[in-house]
Amino acid sequence: MSAAATASVNSPKRKFPLEHTRNIGIAAHIDAGKTTTTERILCYTGVVHKMGEVHEGSAVTDWMEQERERGITITSAAISCNWTNVEGPYADITQQINIIDTPGHVDFTAEVERSLRVLDGAVAVFCAVAGVQPQSETVWRQMNKYEVPRIAFINKMDRTGADFFAAVTSMRERLGAKAQPIFIPIGAEENFIGLINLATMKAHLYDAADASGTSYKTVEIPSEYQEQASASREQLIEALADCDDALADLYLGGGELTADAIRDAIRRATIKHQFCPVIPGSAFKNKGVQSVLESVVNYLPAPLDLPAMKGEDSKGRAIEVAPDDNAKVAGLAFKLMNDPYVGKLVFFRMYSGSLKKGSTLHNARTGKTERISRLLVLKADARDDIDAAYSGDICALVGARDVITGDTLSTKGYDLRLEPPTFPEPVISMSIEPKTTADQEKMALGLQRLAEEDPTFVVSTDEETGQTLIAGMGELHLEIIKDRLFREFKVGAAAGRPQIAYREAFGAVADGEGKFIRQSGGKGQYGHARIKIEPLERGEGIEVEDKTVGGVIPKEFIKPTLDGIREAACNGVLAGYPVVDFKATLHDGSFHDVDSSEMAFKMAGLFAFRHAMEQSNPVLLEPIMAVEIETPEEYQGDILGDLNRRRGQIQNIANKGNFATFSAAVPLAEMFGYSTIVRSLSKGRASFSMEPKSFEEVPPNVLKSIQESTLHGSFH
């Protein structure tokens, strides 16, 4: 975009123009080093003056008590910083970088999902020893889903067993990534001392005496690395020529391939999702992080570099929202947080317009107006008040009340709805009981606020027992929710054992008939419906449609009948679990001129559904987890034997050095407390990760025990 064009979309009041703004996320598998990398970025950009450490519980972005105790990231933290490149086309131009540090644990995948929905670019962090890990694949798929340009940081080059080129190969093989090093390491493990920049063909050597990593020397490439650097540069140029016509013409025409020409080609290809630059480093040892920052500025897009955000008006017509400070305000509320000092914080991505504090915004979902009393720039758990936010910014709103994750907020009169992020269904639940009446009120308030914050946390009431049920993405997820209830909301409560979120499904095509007839002296009740149910593929959801003809059921009774079918699907006939993946067609029925009513037809729809399900050989489905375990070879047999006892299906075994890595599909019901078991079997040396994979049919012997436990009063 030309200078004149960028000037026309930039407000003269904004501190950093759109072309010098980057909105990035840092995402990876758990324990790959995301938070440590973020801490180094904050130190090098001057946000903090002492580097926090995850293992010491002092990381700035891990600000919740639960995060610091466990040494993991639970909630995505937003933070803003400034960086000035040393070399390249953006040298000496200060940029604003808004960073979101996302969790790596699969139980908090919703945090990654909603962050990637609003980001312009990402840094994917990988471990130089393990390469691509299971959650790395999940995060990569999420980036692909939202078409997020990215660079890769191969972290932990100082660790024993670090292999940069093997990690790049695993990215290509397991992720299908078009990954290509733009820096290569000098040394590895304890001998990792610097990087070689393949664009400039210069070496960056870190000073061993400077533990902070802030000082490094740019020198000629050491003679022993010149051959490898030349070969790697040639591979980089060939990879770029395959996806960038301008560089291909220069390369094939024998033109001079300057550092700037290579950088420009990397930027174009990265923004078009045709290339992924890869950088080695060690965040813990403070090496390579400055090169990541330089690459964020050089290769990841500013808001102006991306296509306009797509939305719809209330009639479903497409609308494009391009970044422009002079346009109407439009943005997405992508996260909510309850702050003890200011109340509800709404994390907001501005796509267009200029927003001043004290302004009002229209909520497209509710149709109501929200007054924004304060605007904040976030620095993890610290906040700085600002007077205005502009297109491309990520900020927090104070004062918005009736807002949930995914709401579009815009200037009043701007008929617009932006696509919200999508979230997976919970797979595990537990009961929770308040100890006193006072605790009951506090618990209701606490659960309401936590459910507002987290779209994958669901609160419900068991109609048979009256118990409050909380459902989430895993044991750790519910443990954190429970802990926050006790600490933040001071609730005294007892929690039951975690329970599996089973599902029920139709085993075959079936017809159902439902009649609801009551005659009790006065006006009676009459409703009659016939339906056909067809099973759908797993994950296709529920379809309910009306195919009646000739007025066999009056028009005003069609909707109640369909509502009855949907309500019946909440409780299956096998063990009372929700029914999924079916198509229900209402095709016939009858009515009474006097006695028919909405309630009667709703009950008829409900009875017809249950009748059809009883005829269809219904099946119970259980969540299956994709489990990956890494263990020293001497414990491989014991762990494999234990997985087989847990109904696990081993899918792949790979050996690397003295370690074995194997993946398996295991029912979630068999994985409770597995972290303790795997530590015991391996004397604490094995590690594992798991994530939801699919729902599969429960074997008959397991189904019988589930039905018996349900009959004996266990909640579901």
Side-chain angles (χ1 to χ4, degrees):
M1 190 175 281
S2 68
T6 57
S8 69
V9 298
N10 281 312
S11 164
K13 295 182 180 178
R14 68 184 297 153
K15 189 174 180 183
F16 295 96
L18 274 160
E19 60 270 28
H20 298 150
T21 300
R22 303 287 185 274
N23 293 310
I24 67 163
I26 299 187
H29 183 90
I30 190 168
D31 203 33
K34 300 175 304 302
T35 302
T36 304
T37 302
T38 307
E39 287 298 313
R40 300 312 186 256
I41 288 173
L42 298 184
C43 187
Y44 293 138
T45 56
V47 173
V48 297
H49 301 293
K50 179 181 183 297
M51 293 181 189
E53 301 292 356
V54 174
H55 61 277
E56 293 174 358
S58 58
V60 173
T61 53
D62 282 353
W63 54 271
M64 289 172 60
E65 288 179 47
Q66 292 85 352
E67 292 178 311
R68 292 185 168 177
E69 288 170 359
R70 291 168 173 80
I72 61 170
T73 300
I74 292 167
T75 181
S76 49
I79 201 150
S80 295
C81 59
N82 305 122
W83 175 256
T84 307
N85 272 16
V86 173
E87 57 185 19
Y90 295 96
D92 303 323
I93 302 172
T94 302
Q95 313 277 328
Q96 175 162 306
I97 304 177
N98 301 315
I99 302 171
I100 295 183
D101 173 32
T102 63
H105 198 286
V106 69
D107 283 17
F108 310 107
T109 188
E111 291 287 336
V112 185
E113 187 85 22
R114 59 180 166 195
S115 298
L116 291 174
R117 167 65 183 81
V118 299
L119 292 170
D120 301 328
V123 179
V125 183
F126 298 90
C127 173
V129 181
V132 174
Q133 296 167 280
Q135 189 64 8
S136 314
E137 297 183 54
T138 304
V139 169
W140 199 266
R141 284 197 301 271
Q142 289 170 314
M143 291 182 191
N144 289 341
K145 174 180 173 181
Y146 294 113
E147 298 183 342
V148 179
R150 69 215 72 160
I151 60 177
F153 179 47
I154 307 293
N155 190 27
K156 303 191 179 184
M157 281 300 301
D158 59 304
R159 292 282 184 91
T160 302
D163 188 332
F164 173 70
F165 295 102
V168 174
T169 300
S170 75
M171 286 180 65
R172 294 170 182 158
E173 292 176 352
R174 293 188 61 174
L175 304 176
K178 295 168 183 173
Q180 193 68 39
I182 58 169
F183 290 81
I184 60 171
I186 300 176
E189 302 178 349
E190 70 272 14
N191 297 318
F192 176 56
I193 58 170
L195 315 176
I196 295 171
N197 184 332
L198 298 179
T200 62
M201 289 301 277
K202 297 287 184 182
H204 302 317
L205 295 177
Y206 286 88
D207 185 353
D210 178 12
S212 72
T214 50
S215 59
Y216 59 85
K217 293 182 292 185
T218 300
V219 298
E220 296 301 319
I221 298 170
S223 57
E224 63 270 31
Y225 286 96
Q226 283 179 353
E227 187 177 335
Q228 184 187 33
S230 296
S232 295
R233 188 176 194 263
E234 190 65 23
Q235 290 168 6
L236 169 63
I237 291 167
E238 288 175 1
L240 287 170
D242 286 342
C243 58
D244 187 82
D245 291 342
L247 189 95
D249 291 344
L250 196 62
Y251 178 53
L252 297 172
E256 185 184 356
L257 294 173
T258 63
D260 282 343
I262 293 172
R263 286 194 191 99
D264 290 346
I266 293 172
R267 180 177 181 80
R268 288 190 296 267
T270 302
I271 291 173
K272 289 190 291 186
H273 312 285
Q274 296 174 343
F275 187 83
C276 178
V278 187
I279 305 151
S282 166
F284 184 58
K285 292 295 178 67
N286 312 313
K287 294 173 182 173
V289 178
Q290 295 100 322
S291 298
V292 171
L293 275 166
E294 299 251 329
S295 299
V296 164
V297 172
N298 283 335
Y299 308 129
L300 291 183
L304 291 171
D305 297 318
L306 295 173
M309 183 55 55
K310 289 180 172 57
E312 291 182 348
D313 65 12
S314 54
K315 295 181 180 177
R317 293 174 297 206
I319 298 175
E320 291 194 343
V321 183
D324 184 348
D325 293 346
N326 306 306
K328 294 176 181 176
V329 173
L332 194 72
F334 67 95
K335 176 179 164 70
L336 269 61
M337 191 173 80
N338 287 294
D339 185 280
Y341 303 107
V342 299
K344 182 189 283 189
L345 279 179
V346 178
F347 286 56
F348 189 61
R349 166 65 198 263
M350 290 268 292
Y351 285 107
S352 69
S354 301
L355 178 64
K356 296 178 181 177
K357 64 180 181 181
S359 302
T360 56
L361 292 176
H362 173 74
N363 187 330
R365 177 182 59 87
T366 64
K368 295 178 181 176
T369 297
E370 300 284 353
R371 185 177 182 277
I372 310 306
S373 57
R374 291 171 65 190
L375 289 168
L376 305 175
V377 168
L378 299 159
K379 296 194 173 175
D381 59 341
R383 298 95 171 75
D384 290 342
D385 277 271
I386 54 174
D387 294 325
Y390 302 95
S391 56
D393 284 352
I394 292 176
C395 59
L397 315 179
V398 179
R401 298 184 181 277
D402 190 7
V403 174
I404 62 172
T405 297
D407 278 354
T408 299
L409 302 178
S410 59
T411 301
K412 192 170 184 180
Y414 191 7
D415 185 9
L416 171 71
R417 286 165 179 77
L418 298 168
E419 182 189 352
T422 55
F423 302 106
E425 290 286 320
V427 296
I428 187 171
S429 65
M430 67 165 61
S431 65
I432 188 158
E433 296 284 343
K435 292 182 177 177
T436 67
T437 306
D439 284 325
Q440 188 166 3
E441 293 176 5
K442 287 191 287 186
M443 187 176 87
L445 175 65
L447 290 175
Q448 178 194 344
R449 288 190 176 171
L450 292 171
E452 280 181 353
E453 286 186 20
D454 186 349
T456 58
F457 171 59
V458 178
V459 183
S460 62
T461 302
D462 187 288
E463 292 181 6
E464 294 175 16
T465 65
Q467 286 178 305
T468 299
L469 308 181
I470 58 175
M473 298 306 298
E475 280 185 277
L476 179 60
H477 188 194
L478 292 186
E479 180 65 33
I480 297 297
I481 292 285
K482 191 173 67 174
D483 196 43
R484 290 187 64 189
L485 263 185
F486 297 162
R487 290 195 196 186
E488 291 177 32
F489 299 96
K490 307 293 188 289
V491 174
R497 287 186 65 247
Q499 304 288 317
I500 307 299
Y502 291 100
R503 298 286 184 267
E504 296 186 28
F506 285 81
V509 175
D511 292 309
E513 182 174 13
K515 285 186 178 181
F516 183 74
I517 304 173
R518 293 284 186 274
Q519 197 66 48
S520 55
K523 183 177 182 293
Q525 297 282 353
Y526 183 92
H528 175 215
R530 287 194 177 101
I531 65 173
K532 180 181 180 180
I533 305 276
E534 303 165 76
L536 298 178
E537 293 294 321
R538 297 286 173 261
E540 287 195 15
I542 295 173
E543 296 177 28
V544 182
E545 65 179 8
D546 167 40
K547 285 290 180 72
T548 55
V549 292
V552 292
I553 298 175
K555 188 176 180 181
E556 64 267 27
F557 298 142
I558 296 293
K559 184 179 183 298
T561 310
L562 300 181
D563 288 344
I565 294 169
R566 291 189 184 93
E567 187 173 310
C570 296
N571 297 95
V573 300
L574 284 176
Y577 291 99
V579 186
V580 296
D581 303 330
F582 66 86
K583 179 181 179 181
T585 305
L586 173 65
H587 62 84
D588 198 6
S590 62
F591 68 99
H592 188 281
D593 288 333
V594 177
D595 292 348
S596 287
S597 67
E598 289 189 2
M599 191 274 283
F601 271 97
K602 184 174 183 180
M603 295 304 296
L606 192 147
F607 291 159
F609 180 89
R610 295 186 72 82
H611 179 237
M613 193 166 193
E614 287 164 356
Q615 309 302 311
S616 78
N617 298 317
V619 295
L620 189 69
L621 306 175
E622 62 181 342
I624 304 296
M625 309 301 284
V627 181
E628 184 150 318
I629 303 169
E630 188 177 73
T631 176
E633 281 187 333
E634 59 260 42
Y635 307 113
Q636 180 176 338
D638 291 341
I639 290 175
L640 283 172
D642 180 70
L643 280 178
N644 286 325
R645 285 191 292 275
R646 295 172 186 273
R647 298 192 283 132
Q649 295 182 334
I650 309 302
Q651 296 178 323
N652 185 46
I653 300 176
N655 293 80
K656 182 180 177 182
N658 296 322
F659 273 77
T661 301
F662 37 90
S663 54
V666 191
L668 176 60
E670 307 291 343
M671 292 299 289
F672 285 136
Y674 186 66
S675 55
T676 304
I677 301 297
V678 79
R679 280 197 297 267
S680 172
L681 290 173
S682 64
K683 297 182 180 176
R685 295 176 63 194
S687 62
F688 85 102
S689 64
M690 67 178 182
E691 61 179 320
K693 181 176 186 287
S694 61
F695 276 86
E696 302 291 345
E697 187 175 338
V698 171
N701 60 318
V702 179
L703 171 61
K704 189 175 180 182
S705 67
I706 292 170
Q707 289 174 316
E708 286 173 355
S709 68
T710 305
L711 285 171
H712 288 114
S714 296
F715 74 85
H716 37 268

